[in-house]
Amino acid sequence: MRYVRTVIIPRDGGLHPVDEALADDPNIERDLLHNISLLDDGTAITLFQLSGDIDRAREIADEADEVLDFQLSESDDHITVYAHFVPTQDIIDLLSLFREYELILDMPLEYAADGALRAHIVGEEDVIREVIPKVPDGIGLNLEQISDYVPEEERLFSMLTERQQETLKAAIEVGYYQVPRQATHQDIADYLDRSDGTVGEHLRKIEAKMMAAIAP
């Protein structure tokens, strides 16, 4: 069994109607897609994570004609959205393709800055290579890396957003996590050309996620 790192690129900016609308709003940042599934009645459900203005996210979901039902919940550092919606034909074809060939999307999928989704597909390598040319025209799928599947290898790191991953790598690089500590928030900020306040916020979120994931 192989573990394939890919980039899924929705041509219209999103995988589903709410996703597409959120992509165009400057007050919303899409972080993680936790689930997207087809139902027997031809509709679909999704669960994803955002940062930003919850009132604006609610307004967008409420205005989308294809959304049949939705719920939003807010925590200290993110918004979780559940939506029941009418899927596009591209989404139906993509998810049906994975189901037909018995491939698994290893969730969550991470949104990149350009709206693409970093995804890991689990399955037999020859099957994955056979499926890639059959991906619907409205969705691009670029293969980045194939390796043996080790579930624990990247799971914690994949929980982080792209910005958080960059911040963590920089913090390690400059010695922030060495003992004794060799760097400050400002050193990381200078390395990344960001403000120290932004770096501090990312580190707090990173550490909260990591602790929550490993605590018994």
Side-chain angles (χ1 to χ4, degrees), residues 79-97:
I79 302 164
T80 301
V81 182
Y82 161 86
H84 178 204
F85 65 98
V86 179
T88 63
Q89 190 59 49
D90 282 337
I91 289 301
I92 294 173
D93 292 345
L94 180 66
L95 296 181
S96 298
L97 192 63

Side-chain angles (χ1 to χ4, degrees), residues 58-78:
R58 184 177 290 108
E59 182 180 348
I60 289 171
D62 193 44
E63 290 176 351
D65 293 337
E66 298 89 347
V67 176
L68 305 174
D69 185 29
F70 69 91
Q71 297 177 31
L72 281 73
S73 62
E74 187 175 24
S75 67
D76 291 339
D77 63 350
H78 67 268

Side-chain angles (χ1 to χ4, degrees), residues 10-14 16-30 56 60 113-115:
R11 305 297 188 200
D12 293 329
H16 49 78
V18 182
D19 192 30
E20 185 178 341
L22 291 167
D24 296 330
D25 195 286
N27 299 309
I28 300 293
E29 181 177 344
R30 298 171 299 167
R56 181 59 186 144
I60 289 171
D114 59 0

Side-chain angles (χ1 to χ4, degrees), residues 47 67 147 149 153 182 184 194 215:
L47 184 72
V67 176
S147 58
Y149 179 57
E153 186 176 59
Q182 302 296 311
T184 65
R194 296 178 191 159

Side-chain angles (χ1 to χ4, degrees), residues 183-201:
T184 65
H185 287 185
Q186 188 61 58
D187 293 322
I188 302 169
D190 292 342
Y191 186 94
L192 293 170
D193 192 23
R194 296 178 191 159
S195 72
D196 60 342
T198 298
V199 165
E201 180 181 359

Side-chain angles (χ1 to χ4, degrees), residues 97-104 122-124 127:
L97 192 63
F98 287 152
R99 183 166 56 192
E100 177 185 351
Y101 284 87
E102 299 180 351
L103 298 177
I104 297 171
V122 181
E124 298 297 331
V127 175

